[in-house]
Amino acid sequence: MFTAVNSKVVSINLAQSGPVVARRGAMLFYTGQVYFEPHQVPGMGGGGMPGMGGGVGAMAGRMLSGEHEATMIAQGNGLVHYGFRGIEATIVDLGSVGGQMRVEASRLLAYTSGIQASVVSVASSGGQGGGGGGGGLFGALRNAAAGAMTGQGMFTTQLMGAGSVVILGHGGIFQLPVNPNQPVFVDPQAFVASAGQVGTTLKSAMSWRNVGRGGGESMQLECTGQGAVYVQASEQKM
């Protein structure tokens, strides 16, 4: 339902699409009668980290998550244009990739309201983005350390359903197929999103003999399963 205006701007007709959720500050301009309200993505409502209860777990969740962008919902009857910091935007039909996507919050520009979004822990998502840190507070801290090293956070945004999603990537984004016989290894700084039944595991490409002599390819995300991964043509962070 989104239309690419150019490589960095998309537009959408709310009369045809219904309400649209976008990161705050992404609206460039609109025509018609459009109304904006704050929108809360489920999963970041002030609770603790999964599996740790309240108290210390809640505090750790607030300190270490950093994986939620404030969002606004646009409603009404008009044409809205979205873009963010001149970064290239790519439109994805979620239904065409299995109706499921996990995307870093900083890489998500907008999506139609028929899609259900939630913030989930990478430590509890079947290997998605985690470094094998295990459960509990110490496992969460190990996953946080891995996230800090690679640019992947402790939490990610899960999108499910049918509709359109717009994701952001420096230099543009390309899609790579993943199947059980063809895992894909991605530089964590270039990783944008995965779709379908894809799990990601942080891997080291170095042996103990090479510690301290590795280059920028020392850590990789191994993407396995059935689906696709989206990679930006850059290692630049958002």
PDB file of all heavy atoms in Angstrom, residues 28-66:
ATOM      1  N   LEU A  28       6.928  13.606   6.763  1.00  0.00           N
ATOM      2  CA  LEU A  28       7.512  14.753   6.063  1.00  0.00           C
ATOM      3  C   LEU A  28       6.454  15.799   5.742  1.00  0.00           C
ATOM      4  O   LEU A  28       6.631  16.980   6.021  1.00  0.00           O
ATOM      5  CB  LEU A  28       8.199  14.286   4.789  1.00  0.00           C
ATOM      6  CG  LEU A  28       9.328  13.270   4.969  1.00  0.00           C
ATOM      7  CD1 LEU A  28       9.875  12.832   3.626  1.00  0.00           C
ATOM      8  CD2 LEU A  28      10.444  13.856   5.842  1.00  0.00           C
ATOM      9  N   PHE A  29       5.345  15.377   5.132  1.00  0.00           N
ATOM     10  CA  PHE A  29       4.230  16.291   4.866  1.00  0.00           C
ATOM     11  C   PHE A  29       3.010  15.463   4.481  1.00  0.00           C
ATOM     12  O   PHE A  29       3.119  14.274   4.179  1.00  0.00           O
ATOM     13  CB  PHE A  29       4.569  17.301   3.757  1.00  0.00           C
ATOM     14  CG  PHE A  29       4.783  16.703   2.393  1.00  0.00           C
ATOM     15  CD1 PHE A  29       3.744  16.612   1.472  1.00  0.00           C
ATOM     16  CD2 PHE A  29       6.041  16.250   2.013  1.00  0.00           C
ATOM     17  CE1 PHE A  29       3.944  16.073   0.219  1.00  0.00           C
ATOM     18  CE2 PHE A  29       6.254  15.713   0.751  1.00  0.00           C
ATOM     19  CZ  PHE A  29       5.195  15.623  -0.149  1.00  0.00           C
ATOM     20  N   TYR A  30       1.837  16.103   4.525  1.00  0.00           N
ATOM     21  CA  TYR A  30       0.616  15.400   4.133  1.00  0.00           C
ATOM     22  C   TYR A  30      -0.366  16.383   3.532  1.00  0.00           C
ATOM     23  O   TYR A  30      -0.254  17.611   3.709  1.00  0.00           O
ATOM     24  CB  TYR A  30      -0.017  14.670   5.322  1.00  0.00           C
ATOM     25  CG  TYR A  30      -0.578  15.561   6.404  1.00  0.00           C
ATOM     26  CD1 TYR A  30      -1.901  16.034   6.351  1.00  0.00           C
ATOM     27  CD2 TYR A  30       0.197  15.932   7.500  1.00  0.00           C
ATOM     28  CE1 TYR A  30      -2.416  16.844   7.350  1.00  0.00           C
ATOM     29  CE2 TYR A  30      -0.313  16.744   8.501  1.00  0.00           C
ATOM     30  CZ  TYR A  30      -1.627  17.199   8.421  1.00  0.00           C
ATOM     31  OH  TYR A  30      -2.134  18.007   9.394  1.00  0.00           O
ATOM     32  N   THR A  31      -1.347  15.851   2.813  1.00  0.00           N
ATOM     33  CA  THR A  31      -2.478  16.619   2.320  1.00  0.00           C
ATOM     34  C   THR A  31      -3.758  15.925   2.773  1.00  0.00           C
ATOM     35  O   THR A  31      -3.769  14.703   2.987  1.00  0.00           O
ATOM     36  CB  THR A  31      -2.460  16.719   0.788  1.00  0.00           C
ATOM     37  OG1 THR A  31      -2.455  15.396   0.217  1.00  0.00           O
ATOM     38  CG2 THR A  31      -1.230  17.474   0.303  1.00  0.00           C
ATOM     39  N   GLY A  32      -4.833  16.686   2.930  1.00  0.00           N
ATOM     40  CA  GLY A  32      -6.093  16.112   3.380  1.00  0.00           C
ATOM     41  C   GLY A  32      -6.279  16.262   4.872  1.00  0.00           C
ATOM     42  O   GLY A  32      -5.588  17.031   5.543  1.00  0.00           O
ATOM     43  N   GLN A  33      -7.210  15.486   5.410  1.00  0.00           N
ATOM     44  CA  GLN A  33      -7.545  15.529   6.827  1.00  0.00           C
ATOM     45  C   GLN A  33      -6.880  14.339   7.524  1.00  0.00           C
ATOM     46  O   GLN A  33      -7.359  13.213   7.460  1.00  0.00           O
ATOM     47  CB  GLN A  33      -9.066  15.470   7.012  1.00  0.00           C
ATOM     48  CG  GLN A  33      -9.810  16.621   6.353  1.00  0.00           C
ATOM     49  CD  GLN A  33      -9.427  17.962   6.964  1.00  0.00           C
ATOM     50  OE1 GLN A  33      -9.328  18.092   8.194  1.00  0.00           O
ATOM     51  NE2 GLN A  33      -9.244  18.961   6.131  1.00  0.00           N
ATOM     52  N   VAL A  34      -5.777  14.606   8.178  1.00  0.00           N
ATOM     53  CA  VAL A  34      -4.994  13.551   8.821  1.00  0.00           C
ATOM     54  C   VAL A  34      -4.790  13.922  10.288  1.00  0.00           C
ATOM     55  O   VAL A  34      -4.507  15.085  10.617  1.00  0.00           O
ATOM     56  CB  VAL A  34      -3.625  13.354   8.131  1.00  0.00           C
ATOM     57  CG1 VAL A  34      -2.828  12.241   8.826  1.00  0.00           C
ATOM     58  CG2 VAL A  34      -3.820  13.034   6.652  1.00  0.00           C
ATOM     59  N   TYR A  35      -4.897  12.915  11.164  1.00  0.00           N
ATOM     60  CA  TYR A  35      -4.737  13.127  12.596  1.00  0.00           C
ATOM     61  C   TYR A  35      -3.671  12.164  13.130  1.00  0.00           C
ATOM     62  O   TYR A  35      -3.622  11.002  12.739  1.00  0.00           O
ATOM     63  CB  TYR A  35      -6.075  12.893  13.313  1.00  0.00           C
ATOM     64  CG  TYR A  35      -7.198  13.694  12.713  1.00  0.00           C
ATOM     65  CD1 TYR A  35      -8.010  13.140  11.710  1.00  0.00           C
ATOM     66  CD2 TYR A  35      -7.439  15.006  13.115  1.00  0.00           C
ATOM     67  CE1 TYR A  35      -9.040  13.878  11.138  1.00  0.00           C
ATOM     68  CE2 TYR A  35      -8.459  15.747  12.541  1.00  0.00           C
ATOM     69  CZ  TYR A  35      -9.256  15.181  11.559  1.00  0.00           C
ATOM     70  OH  TYR A  35     -10.264  15.920  10.986  1.00  0.00           O
ATOM     71  N   PHE A  36      -2.834  12.655  14.031  1.00  0.00           N
ATOM     72  CA  PHE A  36      -1.739  11.861  14.572  1.00  0.00           C
ATOM     73  C   PHE A  36      -1.895  11.710  16.080  1.00  0.00           C
ATOM     74  O   PHE A  36      -2.237  12.666  16.779  1.00  0.00           O
ATOM     75  CB  PHE A  36      -0.395  12.529  14.271  1.00  0.00           C
ATOM     76  CG  PHE A  36      -0.108  12.662  12.795  1.00  0.00           C
ATOM     77  CD1 PHE A  36      -0.501  13.798  12.096  1.00  0.00           C
ATOM     78  CD2 PHE A  36       0.554  11.654  12.107  1.00  0.00           C
ATOM     79  CE1 PHE A  36      -0.235  13.923  10.746  1.00  0.00           C
ATOM     80  CE2 PHE A  36       0.827  11.773  10.762  1.00  0.00           C
ATOM     81  CZ  PHE A  36       0.433  12.905  10.072  1.00  0.00           C
ATOM     82  N   GLU A  37      -1.631  10.506  16.580  1.00  0.00           N
ATOM     83  CA  GLU A  37      -1.677  10.228  18.004  1.00  0.00           C
ATOM     84  C   GLU A  37      -0.491   9.354  18.387  1.00  0.00           C
ATOM     85  O   GLU A  37      -0.020   8.548  17.572  1.00  0.00           O
ATOM     86  CB  GLU A  37      -2.975   9.499  18.382  1.00  0.00           C
ATOM     87  CG  GLU A  37      -4.246  10.290  18.170  1.00  0.00           C
ATOM     88  CD  GLU A  37      -5.473   9.493  18.555  1.00  0.00           C
ATOM     89  OE1 GLU A  37      -5.315   8.282  18.846  1.00  0.00           O
ATOM     90  OE2 GLU A  37      -6.570  10.063  18.575  1.00  0.00           O
ATOM     91  N   PRO A  38       0.007   9.479  19.632  1.00  0.00           N
ATOM     92  CA  PRO A  38       1.072   8.565  20.079  1.00  0.00           C
ATOM     93  C   PRO A  38       0.586   7.124  20.047  1.00  0.00           C
ATOM     94  O   PRO A  38      -0.592   6.838  20.265  1.00  0.00           O
ATOM     95  CB  PRO A  38       1.350   9.023  21.517  1.00  0.00           C
ATOM     96  CG  PRO A  38       0.844  10.436  21.565  1.00  0.00           C
ATOM     97  CD  PRO A  38      -0.329  10.489  20.638  1.00  0.00           C
ATOM     98  N   HIS A  39       1.497   6.218  19.772  1.00  0.00           N
ATOM     99  CA  HIS A  39       1.163   4.800  19.647  1.00  0.00           C
ATOM    100  C   HIS A  39       2.138   3.992  20.481  1.00  0.00           C
ATOM    101  O   HIS A  39       3.343   4.236  20.458  1.00  0.00           O
ATOM    102  CB  HIS A  39       1.250   4.382  18.167  1.00  0.00           C
ATOM    103  CG  HIS A  39       1.042   2.917  17.947  1.00  0.00           C
ATOM    104  ND1 HIS A  39       2.092   2.022  17.834  1.00  0.00           N
ATOM    105  CD2 HIS A  39      -0.091   2.196  17.805  1.00  0.00           C
ATOM    106  CE1 HIS A  39       1.602   0.808  17.641  1.00  0.00           C
ATOM    107  NE2 HIS A  39       0.292   0.877  17.620  1.00  0.00           N
ATOM    108  N   GLN A  40       1.640   3.022  21.232  1.00  0.00           N
ATOM    109  CA  GLN A  40       2.472   2.185  22.096  1.00  0.00           C
ATOM    110  C   GLN A  40       2.618   0.798  21.485  1.00  0.00           C
ATOM    111  O   GLN A  40       1.625   0.120  21.231  1.00  0.00           O
ATOM    112  CB  GLN A  40       1.849   2.059  23.490  1.00  0.00           C
ATOM    113  CG  GLN A  40       2.622   1.144  24.434  1.00  0.00           C
ATOM    114  CD  GLN A  40       3.980   1.706  24.799  1.00  0.00           C
ATOM    115  OE1 GLN A  40       4.112   2.880  25.136  1.00  0.00           O
ATOM    116  NE2 GLN A  40       5.005   0.869  24.740  1.00  0.00           N
ATOM    117  N   VAL A  41       3.851   0.389  21.222  1.00  0.00           N
ATOM    118  CA  VAL A  41       4.106  -0.967  20.740  1.00  0.00           C
ATOM    119  C   VAL A  41       4.090  -1.904  21.930  1.00  0.00           C
ATOM    120  O   VAL A  41       4.815  -1.682  22.901  1.00  0.00           O
ATOM    121  CB  VAL A  41       5.463  -1.054  20.017  1.00  0.00           C
ATOM    122  CG1 VAL A  41       5.757  -2.488  19.600  1.00  0.00           C
ATOM    123  CG2 VAL A  41       5.474  -0.140  18.798  1.00  0.00           C
ATOM    124  N   PRO A  42       3.270  -2.966  21.913  1.00  0.00           N
ATOM    125  CA  PRO A  42       3.220  -3.891  23.047  1.00  0.00           C
ATOM    126  C   PRO A  42       4.581  -4.503  23.335  1.00  0.00           C
ATOM    127  O   PRO A  42       5.369  -4.770  22.424  1.00  0.00           O
ATOM    128  CB  PRO A  42       2.226  -4.969  22.583  1.00  0.00           C
ATOM    129  CG  PRO A  42       1.380  -4.283  21.555  1.00  0.00           C
ATOM    130  CD  PRO A  42       2.311  -3.325  20.863  1.00  0.00           C
ATOM    131  N   GLY A  43       4.865  -4.722  24.620  1.00  0.00           N
ATOM    132  CA  GLY A  43       6.095  -5.391  25.013  1.00  0.00           C
ATOM    133  C   GLY A  43       7.084  -4.471  25.688  1.00  0.00           C
ATOM    134  O   GLY A  43       8.043  -4.931  26.286  1.00  0.00           O
ATOM    135  N   MET A  44       6.868  -3.132  25.605  1.00  0.00           N
ATOM    136  CA  MET A  44       7.794  -2.198  26.247  1.00  0.00           C
ATOM    137  C   MET A  44       7.040  -1.252  27.173  1.00  0.00           C
ATOM    138  O   MET A  44       7.346  -0.094  27.275  1.00  0.00           O
ATOM    139  CB  MET A  44       8.550  -1.397  25.184  1.00  0.00           C
ATOM    140  CG  MET A  44       9.507  -2.231  24.364  1.00  0.00           C
ATOM    141  SD  MET A  44      10.798  -3.018  25.334  1.00  0.00           S
ATOM    142  CE  MET A  44      11.781  -1.593  25.779  1.00  0.00           C
ATOM    143  N   GLY A  45       6.065  -1.795  27.851  1.00  0.00           N
ATOM    144  CA  GLY A  45       5.226  -0.956  28.705  1.00  0.00           C
ATOM    145  C   GLY A  45       5.749  -0.772  30.105  1.00  0.00           C
ATOM    146  O   GLY A  45       4.982  -0.591  31.038  1.00  0.00           O
ATOM    147  N   GLY A  46       7.074  -0.883  30.277  1.00  0.00           N
ATOM    148  CA  GLY A  46       7.632  -0.626  31.595  1.00  0.00           C
ATOM    149  C   GLY A  46       7.886  -1.873  32.403  1.00  0.00           C
ATOM    150  O   GLY A  46       8.328  -1.800  33.543  1.00  0.00           O
ATOM    151  N   GLY A  47       7.604  -3.073  31.831  1.00  0.00           N
ATOM    152  CA  GLY A  47       7.840  -4.299  32.554  1.00  0.00           C
ATOM    153  C   GLY A  47       9.301  -4.682  32.536  1.00  0.00           C
ATOM    154  O   GLY A  47      10.143  -4.027  31.949  1.00  0.00           O
ATOM    155  N   GLY A  48       9.598  -5.797  33.202  1.00  0.00           N
ATOM    156  CA  GLY A  48      10.971  -6.280  33.264  1.00  0.00           C
ATOM    157  C   GLY A  48      11.326  -7.084  32.051  1.00  0.00           C
ATOM    158  O   GLY A  48      10.572  -7.183  31.091  1.00  0.00           O
ATOM    159  N   MET A  49      12.513  -7.678  32.111  1.00  0.00           N
ATOM    160  CA  MET A  49      12.974  -8.510  31.029  1.00  0.00           C
ATOM    161  C   MET A  49      12.379  -9.892  31.181  1.00  0.00           C
ATOM    162  O   MET A  49      12.167 -10.379  32.284  1.00  0.00           O
ATOM    163  CB  MET A  49      14.502  -8.563  31.037  1.00  0.00           C
ATOM    164  CG  MET A  49      15.102  -7.198  30.824  1.00  0.00           C
ATOM    165  SD  MET A  49      16.867  -7.191  31.104  1.00  0.00           S
ATOM    166  CE  MET A  49      17.399  -8.191  29.743  1.00  0.00           C
ATOM    167  N   PRO A  50      12.074 -10.586  30.065  1.00  0.00           N
ATOM    168  CA  PRO A  50      11.433 -11.882  30.138  1.00  0.00           C
ATOM    169  C   PRO A  50      12.233 -12.845  31.003  1.00  0.00           C
ATOM    170  O   PRO A  50      13.444 -12.976  30.873  1.00  0.00           O
ATOM    171  CB  PRO A  50      11.412 -12.331  28.672  1.00  0.00           C
ATOM    172  CG  PRO A  50      11.406 -11.054  27.888  1.00  0.00           C
ATOM    173  CD  PRO A  50      12.279 -10.126  28.689  1.00  0.00           C
ATOM    174  N   GLY A  51      11.489 -13.541  31.891  1.00  0.00           N
ATOM    175  CA  GLY A  51      12.112 -14.569  32.691  1.00  0.00           C
ATOM    176  C   GLY A  51      12.816 -14.065  33.936  1.00  0.00           C
ATOM    177  O   GLY A  51      13.443 -14.848  34.642  1.00  0.00           O
ATOM    178  N   MET A  52      12.704 -12.762  34.240  1.00  0.00           N
ATOM    179  CA  MET A  52      13.438 -12.256  35.395  1.00  0.00           C
ATOM    180  C   MET A  52      12.531 -11.598  36.430  1.00  0.00           C
ATOM    181  O   MET A  52      13.008 -11.124  37.447  1.00  0.00           O
ATOM    182  CB  MET A  52      14.504 -11.249  34.956  1.00  0.00           C
ATOM    183  CG  MET A  52      15.634 -11.872  34.191  1.00  0.00           C
ATOM    184  SD  MET A  52      17.008 -10.749  34.031  1.00  0.00           S
ATOM    185  CE  MET A  52      16.291  -9.530  32.944  1.00  0.00           C
ATOM    186  N   GLY A  53      11.233 -11.502  36.176  1.00  0.00           N
ATOM    187  CA  GLY A  53      10.344 -10.916  37.156  1.00  0.00           C
ATOM    188  C   GLY A  53      10.587  -9.428  37.324  1.00  0.00           C
ATOM    189  O   GLY A  53      11.114  -8.748  36.458  1.00  0.00           O
ATOM    190  N   GLY A  54      10.186  -8.894  38.496  1.00  0.00           N
ATOM    191  CA  GLY A  54      10.314  -7.469  38.749  1.00  0.00           C
ATOM    192  C   GLY A  54      11.642  -7.126  39.375  1.00  0.00           C
ATOM    193  O   GLY A  54      12.619  -7.852  39.281  1.00  0.00           O
ATOM    194  N   GLY A  55      11.687  -5.991  40.091  1.00  0.00           N
ATOM    195  CA  GLY A  55      12.892  -5.591  40.815  1.00  0.00           C
ATOM    196  C   GLY A  55      14.075  -5.389  39.906  1.00  0.00           C
ATOM    197  O   GLY A  55      14.059  -4.554  39.002  1.00  0.00           O
ATOM    198  N   VAL A  56      15.147  -6.180  40.135  1.00  0.00           N
ATOM    199  CA  VAL A  56      16.379  -6.053  39.362  1.00  0.00           C
ATOM    200  C   VAL A  56      16.117  -6.297  37.887  1.00  0.00           C
ATOM    201  O   VAL A  56      16.669  -5.622  37.015  1.00  0.00           O
ATOM    202  CB  VAL A  56      17.442  -7.041  39.895  1.00  0.00           C
ATOM    203  CG1 VAL A  56      18.671  -7.038  39.001  1.00  0.00           C
ATOM    204  CG2 VAL A  56      17.825  -6.677  41.321  1.00  0.00           C
ATOM    205  N   GLY A  57      15.236  -7.275  37.587  1.00  0.00           N
ATOM    206  CA  GLY A  57      14.943  -7.564  36.193  1.00  0.00           C
ATOM    207  C   GLY A  57      14.328  -6.377  35.479  1.00  0.00           C
ATOM    208  O   GLY A  57      14.679  -6.060  34.349  1.00  0.00           O
ATOM    209  N   ALA A  58      13.386  -5.711  36.142  1.00  0.00           N
ATOM    210  CA  ALA A  58      12.755  -4.541  35.538  1.00  0.00           C
ATOM    211  C   ALA A  58      13.774  -3.435  35.322  1.00  0.00           C
ATOM    212  O   ALA A  58      13.777  -2.762  34.281  1.00  0.00           O
ATOM    213  CB  ALA A  58      11.609  -4.050  36.423  1.00  0.00           C
ATOM    214  N   MET A  59      14.644  -3.228  36.318  1.00  0.00           N
ATOM    215  CA  MET A  59      15.667  -2.199  36.178  1.00  0.00           C
ATOM    216  C   MET A  59      16.614  -2.525  35.034  1.00  0.00           C
ATOM    217  O   MET A  59      16.957  -1.668  34.220  1.00  0.00           O
ATOM    218  CB  MET A  59      16.464  -2.068  37.481  1.00  0.00           C
ATOM    219  CG  MET A  59      17.571  -1.005  37.412  1.00  0.00           C
ATOM    220  SD  MET A  59      18.497  -0.893  38.958  1.00  0.00           S
ATOM    221  CE  MET A  59      19.353  -2.476  38.937  1.00  0.00           C
ATOM    222  N   ALA A  60      17.026  -3.798  34.930  1.00  0.00           N
ATOM    223  CA  ALA A  60      17.920  -4.197  33.848  1.00  0.00           C
ATOM    224  C   ALA A  60      17.246  -4.006  32.505  1.00  0.00           C
ATOM    225  O   ALA A  60      17.872  -3.583  31.541  1.00  0.00           O
ATOM    226  CB  ALA A  60      18.345  -5.650  34.032  1.00  0.00           C
ATOM    227  N   GLY A  61      15.942  -4.308  32.449  1.00  0.00           N
ATOM    228  CA  GLY A  61      15.232  -4.116  31.193  1.00  0.00           C
ATOM    229  C   GLY A  61      15.240  -2.670  30.754  1.00  0.00           C
ATOM    230  O   GLY A  61      15.469  -2.364  29.594  1.00  0.00           O
ATOM    231  N   ARG A  62      15.021  -1.770  31.715  1.00  0.00           N
ATOM    232  CA  ARG A  62      15.010  -0.350  31.358  1.00  0.00           C
ATOM    233  C   ARG A  62      16.398   0.130  30.956  1.00  0.00           C
ATOM    234  O   ARG A  62      16.557   0.950  30.063  1.00  0.00           O
ATOM    235  CB  ARG A  62      14.487   0.471  32.543  1.00  0.00           C
ATOM    236  CG  ARG A  62      12.999   0.272  32.818  1.00  0.00           C
ATOM    237  CD  ARG A  62      12.487   1.302  33.810  1.00  0.00           C
ATOM    238  NE  ARG A  62      13.127   1.196  35.106  1.00  0.00           N
ATOM    239  CZ  ARG A  62      12.666   0.442  36.101  1.00  0.00           C
ATOM    240  NH1 ARG A  62      11.578  -0.279  35.935  1.00  0.00           N
ATOM    241  NH2 ARG A  62      13.300   0.409  37.258  1.00  0.00           N
ATOM    242  N   MET A  63      17.421  -0.397  31.619  1.00  0.00           N
ATOM    243  CA  MET A  63      18.780   0.072  31.359  1.00  0.00           C
ATOM    244  C   MET A  63      19.349  -0.475  30.062  1.00  0.00           C
ATOM    245  O   MET A  63      20.095   0.205  29.361  1.00  0.00           O
ATOM    246  CB  MET A  63      19.695  -0.326  32.514  1.00  0.00           C
ATOM    247  CG  MET A  63      19.438   0.409  33.800  1.00  0.00           C
ATOM    248  SD  MET A  63      20.470  -0.233  35.136  1.00  0.00           S
ATOM    249  CE  MET A  63      22.108   0.101  34.477  1.00  0.00           C
ATOM    250  N   LEU A  64      19.010  -1.736  29.752  1.00  0.00           N
ATOM    251  CA  LEU A  64      19.724  -2.427  28.688  1.00  0.00           C
ATOM    252  C   LEU A  64      18.955  -2.593  27.397  1.00  0.00           C
ATOM    253  O   LEU A  64      19.533  -2.975  26.395  1.00  0.00           O
ATOM    254  CB  LEU A  64      20.142  -3.827  29.193  1.00  0.00           C
ATOM    255  CG  LEU A  64      21.065  -3.837  30.406  1.00  0.00           C
ATOM    256  CD1 LEU A  64      21.338  -5.270  30.832  1.00  0.00           C
ATOM    257  CD2 LEU A  64      22.374  -3.119  30.101  1.00  0.00           C
ATOM    258  N   SER A  65      17.649  -2.345  27.400  1.00  0.00           N
ATOM    259  CA  SER A  65      16.904  -2.639  26.180  1.00  0.00           C
ATOM    260  C   SER A  65      17.306  -1.703  25.049  1.00  0.00           C
ATOM    261  O   SER A  65      17.922  -2.112  24.073  1.00  0.00           O
ATOM    262  CB  SER A  65      15.402  -2.553  26.436  1.00  0.00           C
ATOM    263  OG  SER A  65      15.019  -1.234  26.784  1.00  0.00           O
ATOM    264  N   GLY A  66      16.955  -0.427  25.129  1.00  0.00           N
ATOM    265  CA  GLY A  66      17.345   0.537  24.108  1.00  0.00           C
ATOM    266  C   GLY A  66      16.859   0.175  22.721  1.00  0.00           C
ATOM    267  O   GLY A  66      17.392   0.627  21.725  1.00  0.00           O
TER     268      GLY A  66
END
